[in-house]
Amino acid sequence: MNRAYRKTIIAGNWKMNKTPAETRALINELRPLIQRTKWCETVVCVPFVDLPNALKASRGCRISVGAQNLHFEPSGAFTGEVSAEMLSSLGIKYVIIGHSERRQYFGDTNEIVNKKVLAASAAGLRPILCVGESLTEREYDVTREVITTQLKMALQGIDAAAMKKIVIAYEPIWAIGTGKTATADQAQEICNLIRAFVRAKYGARVARAVSILYGGSMKGSNAAELLSKPDVDGGLIGGASLKAEDFAEIVHAANQ
Ligand code: PGA
């Protein structure tokens, strides 16, 4: 973390969990636990149907609300999809784009991820852009190339002003939901690579200001070590974001 230059962000990715009533209950439980954490922005990215309740329950506290996906077209015959404007008109601030589960199960290619980042930015949403390598790619020692390609394609057509609003999450696929966390040094190496990419494309000022998160089995017991690294500005949390106490523990580690 480097608070002199950029925001620390702990974002929960609830994935396909929690009903609207459970959403209200979890946020109500979380609120008192993270009252004195002004150095850290807390975000909950919830399923579409939970967004209204998440917004209501988080009113008047420091929790921001995000979605987990969107469609890149503004409107039209796309049954089952939700547009960027629908989200922004609700008052949603963040949207996760390019999560590895969407890339893996729902065919989100780098090109589609790029279109979604452009649509989100145009609608005033802050994308949380996910990048990450598979275990095979790590074993073949092509992690840096994979991440660079994902960034190059996802950020095509994004100018410096839009880049300032984008959060990047480095999520090694082999660490997601597996209990296997990247070491703090591994996380730092790739978060540093991401910042260097942003610096080369957008200049030092933008690179210094962009928040880069780590995601993949982050929890209370390993958060402080990961966050002690200079280029790790927060976390994208799956499993541990579903229990208020576990999530609050990470938020407190980030608030130190
Ligand atoms: P995890 O998920 O914390 O359960 O590993 C992280 C993510 O998928 O964003």
Side-chain angles (χ1 to χ4, degrees), residues 11-13 15 96 99-101 130 171 175-180 215-219 236-241:
N13 174 12
K15 309 194 179 183
I96 297 174
H99 190 278
S100 64
E101 285 151 19
C130 300
E171 296 209 304
I176 295 177
T178 57
K180 234 169 132 182
S217 301
M218 197 171 187
K219 41 189 178 279
L236 184 55
I237 324 294
S241 70

Side-chain angles (χ1 to χ4, degrees), residues 26 33 41 97 106 108 116 121 126 136 159 167 175 180 185 201 228 246 255:
L26 179 51
L33 301 179
E41 178 168 1
I97 295 176
F106 304 102
D108 281 12
K116 292 184 176 187
S121 298
R126 297 195 60 175
T136 312
D159 63 15
V167 175
K180 234 169 132 182
D185 286 337
K201 189 169 158 88
S228 72
D246 294 352
N255 193 57

Side-chain angles (χ1 to χ4, degrees), residues 68-101:
Q68 299 173 8
N69 183 36
L70 49 66
H71 190 65
F72 52 79
E73 290 291 347
S75 65
F78 302 101
T79 303
E81 295 296 317
V82 170
S83 74
E85 198 204 323
M86 290 173 188
L87 296 174
S88 63
S89 69
L90 265 186
I92 298 301
K93 186 167 174 191
Y94 289 94
V95 59
I96 297 174
I97 295 176
H99 190 278
S100 64
E101 285 151 19

Side-chain angles (χ1 to χ4, degrees), residues 1-81:
M1 297 186 285
N2 187 339
R3 283 209 198 95
Y5 293 116
R6 49 196 174 256
K7 244 192 216 172
T8 303
I9 299 171
I10 296 294
N13 174 12
W14 290 10
K15 309 194 179 183
M16 195 172 72
N17 291 290
K18 306 292 177 189
T19 62
E22 289 166 347
T23 297
R24 197 180 327 117
L26 179 51
I27 293 175
N28 284 340
E29 213 185 317
L30 186 61
R31 285 180 65 136
L33 301 179
I34 59 165
Q35 249 170 13
R36 273 176 287 278
T37 54
K38 66 169 181 178
W39 300 112
C40 172
E41 178 168 1
T42 303
V43 184
V44 291
C45 297
V46 307
F48 288 134
V49 295
D50 295 333
L51 289 169
N53 270 12
L55 286 166
K56 259 183 254 161
S58 61
R59 206 170 284 154
C61 76
R62 305 186 51 81
I63 299 173
S64 305
V65 177
Q68 299 173 8
N69 183 36
L70 49 66
H71 190 65
F72 52 79
E73 290 291 347
S75 65
F78 302 101
T79 303
E81 295 296 317

